[in-house]
Amino acid sequence: MNGITKLPQLTLTEAVKQAWSKITQVTDRSRRSEFWWTYLVLIIINCVCSLIPFLGNLVAFMVYLAMIPLTFRRLHDTGRSGWWCGAGIILNAILAVEFFASIYSMLQSNGFSTDVTDYGTAIMMLKMLFNPTLIIIYIVMFVYSIITLVFLCQDSQAHDNKYGPSPKYIAEDTGENIPDYVPEWK
């Protein structure tokens, strides 16, 4: 690219430091290396902590909350609104409501019996699993997940966008677009 210098990829420690310094910030932009290295660290922490019964659930929730601003910034870096992440949150909420409504409907039609040895209850459970509304929501969530994954894997926009200057590329002629955190490269 003419007039643009590409900064080297962040190392694991540099990426996590940079992400941690902006843990609650949903504005600005985050590089691919910052996103994926931090995502890896958070998943490893989540897996280790999941071995401890109550702590695992708490850590999983905290990891989920920590990933929201990072995902917003990563989407901003590709020139997309962070609300692509918000759409996933909304889809999950719709899925949860529909799933619990299906369970309630199944229990109500079965006289609120939880006896799963009953043949009628087993049929009702199968009907719940193959609820057309749930299947459509699952398909939409699958397609949404693929689209979001593609967005998260794309390269940074080389120039400034409406979310801020590029953290990866520096304009050679002006020296602008230098990120607040510049790691020491060897």
Side-chain angles (χ1 to χ4, degrees):
M1 289 181 238
N2 295 339
I4 303 269
T5 301
K6 177 180 161 185
L7 296 175
Q9 180 176 325
L10 298 175
T11 64
L12 173 74
T13 55
E14 293 167 345
V16 172
K17 282 180 190 176
Q18 190 167 351
W20 184 254
S21 70
K22 309 183 274 187
I23 194 72
T24 60
Q25 183 180 348
V26 293
T27 58
D28 206 12
R29 297 166 62 171
S30 289
R31 297 174 62 174
R32 260 189 310 200
S33 54
E34 177 186 345
F35 178 82
W36 290 111
W37 280 123
T38 305
Y39 188 78
L40 174 67
V41 168
L42 289 174
I43 293 301
I44 290 171
I45 290 170
N46 193 16
C47 289
V48 170
C49 291
S50 69
L51 301 174
I52 304 168
F54 177 72
L55 182 64
N57 293 337
L58 182 63
V59 169
F61 181 69
M62 298 304 284
V63 164
Y64 177 73
L65 289 179
M67 285 304 298
I68 292 171
L70 184 60
T71 305
F72 266 62
R73 291 193 313 270
R74 179 69 201 122
L75 288 167
H76 288 169
D77 194 40
T78 63
R80 291 175 180 81
S81 171
W83 284 108
W84 275 96
C85 177
I89 296 168
I90 292 167
L91 281 172
N92 279 315
I94 291 170
L95 176 65
V97 167
E98 181 61 31
F99 182 76
F100 288 117
S102 294
I103 289 174
Y104 180 78
S105 173
M106 179 194 73
L107 289 173
Q108 186 179 27
S109 67
N110 201 28
F112 292 97
S113 170
T114 56
D115 181 19
V116 291
T117 59
D118 180 24
Y119 179 72
T121 304
I123 296 295
M124 294 305 279
M125 290 176 76
L126 282 173
K127 284 182 180 179
M128 184 195 76
L129 288 175
F130 295 105
N131 178 342
T133 307
L134 283 176
I135 292 172
I136 291 170
I137 293 171
Y138 285 132
I139 291 170
V140 169
M141 287 183 70
F142 178 75
V143 170
Y144 161 80
S145 298
I146 298 296
I147 291 169
T148 304
L149 180 64
V150 168
F151 289 166
L152 294 173
C153 290
Q154 288 180 337
D155 193 15
S156 303
Q157 286 187 332
H159 300 285
D160 294 0
N161 64 21
K162 65 182 179 179
Y163 304 106
S166 175
K168 182 176 181 178
Y169 297 102
I170 299 174
E172 290 176 358
D173 53 344
T174 64
E176 294 178 8
N177 301 352
I178 299 174
D180 294 336
Y181 171 79
V182 179
E184 296 178 22
W185 294 294
K186 296 177 183 176

